[in-house]
Amino acid sequence: APLVRVAVDGPSATGKSDSAQQLAQRLGFLYVDSGALFRALALALSSKLLPASNPSAIAAYLTGPENPVPRIQWTFPPGRIMLNGHDVSLAIRTDEITQKASEYAVLPAVREALIGLQRHIGVDDPNVRGVVMDGRDIGTTVFPDADAKLFLDGDVHVRAARRVRQRRQQMAAAGDEKLFDAAALDVVRVAEALAARDYRDRTRPQGALACAPDAVVIDSASVTLTEQVDMMEKAVRSRL
Ligand code: C5P
C-alpha cells in the first residue's frame, strides 16, 4: 500500500517540529524534519565556499558528480541528520547555518536537488506505514496529494517570545549564560529575524511558503503544544 502522507507547513517558530514529531508518534508514523535536509545541504554548500549569490555555480555543483544530496541521510528515531557519514544534527542549528539555509532555500536548483529525497524517505522501509513531514511547501509542492495537510500559523511576536523563552531554558539547563548572545535573547530582534526569514520563504519563485487550499489552519499562538497536537491528530484522523 502507498504510504500515508501528512504535510505540516507554516512559518518559523510555530512549534512545527515538536508538534509534528508528537503527532507522528501518536499515529505510529515516521517523522521527517525537511528543514534539517535544507540545513544539511546549506552546510555542504558553505563548506564548498559556494555562496547563495552564485546560483549558477550551485546549480552546476548540484547536478554534477559531487552532488552532496545522496550523502545526506535522515534517520528517525531519534531524529538525526547525517552528512558524509557524520552526524551534523548540532552543526546545522547554529545561527549562521539557519541564515544560510534560508538564503539557499530560495534557489530553484537547491529545491530541485532535495525534492526526490523528500519524496523517497520511508518508501523502501516495510515498517513505515505513513510519514509526517514538516516544512514550508510540503502540502503544496512535495506532497500536493497528501492525505492530510496542516498549516501552523501565529503572530510573529508570540513566536519570537517563545523562541527566546526556549533559549533561556536551554541556557539554564546547560548552566551556560553565554550560550546565546544578546541579540538572540531580544524579542524584538528575534521577531525581526523571523519576519525576514518568513518573507524570503513566502516570496521565492519555487516552493514558496503557502497554505494549501485544503489545509487545516491552526493558530499556534493561542494554544499550548499539547492542544496543538490534539487539534492536529483530530484533523488527521478525520481524513484517514
Ligand atoms: O524549518 P527550519 O527552520 O529548520 O528550516 C530551515 C530553512 O530551510 C528555512 O528557513 C526555510 O527557508 C528552508 N526550508 C524550506 N523548505 C522546507 C523546509 C525548510 O525552504 N520544506
Side-chain angles (χ1 to χ4, degrees):
L3 295 187
V4 176
R5 311 281 193 185
V6 179
V8 181
D9 291 301
S12 310
T14 45
K16 281 196 307 292
S17 306
D18 286 340
S19 59
Q21 192 168 330
Q22 289 188 25
L23 174 68
Q25 194 174 10
R26 291 190 190 183
L27 298 169
F29 289 0
L30 179 72
Y31 164 67
V32 181
D33 173 0
S34 73
L37 309 177
F38 281 86
R39 288 166 180 269
L41 185 52
L43 196 62
L45 293 172
S46 66
S47 77
K48 281 283 164 189
L49 306 178
L50 289 166
S53 56
N54 193 348
S56 53
I58 290 172
Y61 181 64
L62 293 178
T63 50
E66 279 187 67
N67 177 15
V69 173
R71 288 171 277 120
I72 295 174
Q73 253 184 307
W74 169 254
T75 63
F76 185 85
R80 309 306 291 178
I81 183 87
M82 314 291 289
L83 174 64
N84 293 325
H86 299 287
D87 187 335
V88 294
S89 308
L90 288 180
I92 60 163
R93 298 290 160 196
T94 64
D95 283 345
E96 190 194 341
I97 293 300
T98 299
Q99 179 65 24
K100 283 186 173 161
S102 162
E103 292 169 6
Y104 286 125
V106 171
L107 306 178
V110 165
R111 308 205 69 81
E112 279 154 23
L114 287 174
I115 200 154
L117 174 60
Q118 292 175 89
R119 288 180 177 151
H120 197 74
I121 294 175
V123 167
D124 294 333
D125 187 337
N127 297 314
V128 173
R129 286 185 301 124
V131 167
V132 176
M133 185 175 292
D134 83 307
R136 304 294 188 290
D137 61 336
I138 310 306
T140 52
T141 307
V142 179
F143 298 127
D145 298 327
D147 300 271
K149 300 179 186 181
L150 302 159
F151 192 86
L152 308 179
D153 217 331
D155 179 84
V156 70
H157 298 99
V158 176
R159 292 190 274 129
R162 275 201 191 155
R163 184 56 42 105
V164 168
R165 207 179 320 132
Q166 257 176 13
R167 288 176 173 165
R168 290 197 185 283
Q169 283 164 358
Q170 277 174 269
M171 291 203 298
D176 181 355
E177 283 181 15
K178 294 206 170 72
L179 195 55
F180 294 103
D181 63 17
L185 298 169
D186 181 321
V187 176
V188 174
R189 290 175 72 175
V190 171
E192 280 168 6
L194 285 177
R197 272 212 289 152
D198 292 345
Y199 181 78
R200 246 196 312 275
D201 285 340
R202 286 186 198 276
T203 55
R204 63 188 167 221
Q206 268 183 38
L209 166 65
C211 181
D214 50 346
V216 172
V217 182
I218 295 173
D219 177 14
S220 70
S222 64
V223 291
T224 65
L225 179 63
T226 305
E227 286 167 345
Q228 179 162 316
V229 180
D230 290 345
M231 292 164 84
M232 293 163 79
E233 184 183 7
K234 213 173 146 196
V236 173
R237 290 202 189 276
S238 73
R239 275 165 185 75
L240 295 186

